[in-house]
Amino acid sequence: MTKRYFITGTDTEVGKSFVTAALLARAAQQGRSAFGFKPIAAGATWHNGALENEDGQLLQQYSSPSYDYSVHNPIVFADPQSPHLCQATSLQSLINLSQQIPPADYQLIEGAGGWFVPINEQQTLADYANALNIPVILVVDIKLGCINHALLSAQAIGSKLAGWVANNRHGSNQNMIDSIATRLTAPCLGTLGQTTINHAATLIQFPDER
């Protein structure tokens, strides 16, 4: 049975793609197929005549099996800014793209930026995630202010929050992680530091493994 998760973060550049890639690698280490999908990305360069985003490339690299880049990241913009400022994207178009995801034991759908990033003038990625109606994994960048960011994000996500990951890449105080853990009912799926993706895969869990 396919398990699907939506990966979001407390902000942009908090390690969503790193965590998603680590989960993809974990599935591969367990002998399971896994597909990483980033429906929309902003900030890209040209590769072989097409725009490609670094996050999308990472998901393509660690998916098993992997497909052509456009299958992993169908909508990509050159400018690194909020997607709605690049070009308005309809909610239905994102839903339609998600229905074309190749079959796999795990399907991981990564958002862009934080939970409420706009995709057009009326809707956000939260609307997309809610339309998918799948469990959510929250990536928390452990730094000053992260407790507030984590609690606000968790409150916005609501009951679909299946777990969170502490991305302790700055080597911050463990007290921050403990403070979040005591205030969220969703479990911590792992604490990551400065490490490789393959090693991070051994330090993290899927919610269904708990």
Side-chain angles (χ1 to χ4, degrees), residues 47-202:
H47 292 268
N48 300 319
L51 284 171
E52 293 188 6
N53 171 269
E54 288 185 355
D55 295 343
Q57 291 172 336
L58 200 63
L59 302 194
Q60 179 189 29
Q61 177 183 349
Y62 283 92
S63 291
S64 53
S66 64
Y67 296 79
D68 290 341
Y69 178 85
S70 61
V71 181
H72 294 271
N73 177 207
I75 302 175
V76 57
F77 303 114
D79 295 331
Q81 57 184 355
S82 181
H84 80 294
L85 297 177
C86 300
Q87 179 180 315
T89 303
S90 73
L91 175 60
Q92 189 58 53
S93 68
L94 294 183
I95 294 173
N96 292 343
L97 288 170
S98 300
Q99 294 171 343
Q100 301 170 23
I101 294 176
D105 295 325
Y106 284 100
Q107 295 175 342
L108 305 183
I109 302 173
E110 182 192 335
W115 183 245
F116 282 127
V117 166
I119 57 174
N120 55 50
E121 292 304 318
Q122 292 80 36
Q123 296 164 315
T124 70
L125 282 174
D127 295 304
Y128 169 57
N130 288 329
L132 294 177
N133 195 30
I134 59 177
V136 177
I137 296 173
L138 174 67
V139 179
V140 181
D141 192 20
I142 304 301
K143 60 181 182 180
L144 187 63
C146 69
I147 299 173
N148 178 62
H149 297 159
L151 298 183
L152 285 174
S153 296
Q155 183 181 52
I157 295 166
S159 61
K160 289 186 176 65
L161 184 61
W164 61 282
V165 177
N167 188 16
N168 195 22
R169 56 183 175 168
H170 309 292
S172 300
N173 194 314
Q174 179 66 34
N175 289 338
M176 294 183 183
I177 300 173
D178 294 340
S179 294
I180 296 171
T182 59
R183 288 166 172 81
L184 293 185
T185 56
C188 180
L189 304 174
T191 297
L192 307 180
Q194 290 286 356
T195 186
T196 66
I197 287 174
N198 286 327
H199 182 239
T202 68

